[in-house]
Amino acid sequence: MAARADSFDLGGLKLSPGEARRLDLDVALGDFDLSDERYATPEAVPVHLDVSRMVGGGYSLRLRFESEIAGPCMRCLEPASPTTVVDSREVDQPGGGEELNSPYVNGDELDLTAWAHDAYSLALPPQVLCRPDCRGLCPECGANLNAEPDHAHEAPPDPRWAKLREIKLE
Ligand SMILES: [Zn+2]
Ligand SMILES: [Zn+2]
């Protein structure tokens, strides 16, 4: 069972410059508010964290995991739980300028929960769907088109035909 970590003490690894370590941890990604709906992730998501102590000081980090997100499908409103894969990198080098200053690293302390939450949020597809080809709801009557693939309404009469009919009547 991997250790549950919210923030992680990188200094506790006691890595020498150039040394790296892979850690298996459990992280809580939290909930996500998308399109006015609440989407939930599992309580504990197993993650791989690669930590490298850089020769010039600071850390180079890579975070990898995959997780389901559960909530209503954004097209058909049925329960959806698609899986999203995350592969995120952060570098934090004291005095290394803005690009080398990770917002998730404060000295030797890594805010793993915030990083995992944000990285997951960025990796999510624009729409949470029950399946990639979800057909959604009928715009006319709201029927679920996944359940009724042949669902159709009679097409409204074409105004051009109406004109022709008028001509015939004359
Ligand atoms: Zn759907
Ligand atoms: Zn319909």
Side-chain angles (χ1 to χ4, degrees), residues 138 140-141 143 151 153:
C138 170
E140 273 184 66
C141 71
H151 182 86
H153 293 266

Side-chain angles (χ1 to χ4, degrees), residues 11-146:
L13 297 173
K14 307 223 181 307
L15 298 175
S16 17
E19 202 182 343
R21 180 140 343 142
R22 170 167 305 170
L23 300 147
D24 294 315
L25 302 165
D26 282 349
V27 178
L29 303 175
D31 291 337
F32 294 80
D33 288 316
L34 309 166
S35 308
D36 294 330
E37 294 281 355
R38 175 62 55 97
Y39 290 82
T41 53
E43 247 173 71
V45 175
V47 306
H48 299 300
L49 175 66
D50 290 304
V51 181
S52 307
R53 184 108 172 106
M54 292 190 290
V55 175
Y59 296 95
S60 165
L61 306 161
R62 185 178 185 188
L63 179 65
R64 281 173 291 179
F65 63 91
E66 59 175 54
S67 174
E68 283 189 351
I69 189 163
C73 171
M74 288 182 187
R75 281 192 202 145
C76 75
L77 310 177
E78 292 294 319
S81 54
T83 295
T84 297
V85 177
V86 172
D87 186 347
S88 177
R89 291 165 189 273
E90 286 288 322
V91 173
D92 191 78
Q93 188 159 41
E98 216 168 282
E99 303 107 81
L100 299 180
N101 187 357
S102 168
Y104 308 112
V105 181
N106 185 7
D108 283 335
E109 198 71 18
L110 169 66
D111 191 342
L112 188 57
T113 305
W115 181 17
H117 179 94
D118 292 353
Y120 190 70
S121 186
L122 288 172
L124 280 173
Q127 287 197 304
V128 175
L129 300 177
C130 61
R131 59 190 213 205
D133 63 345
C134 171
R135 297 162 55 106
L137 301 177
C138 170
E140 273 184 66
C141 71
N144 187 332
L145 300 179
N146 298 314

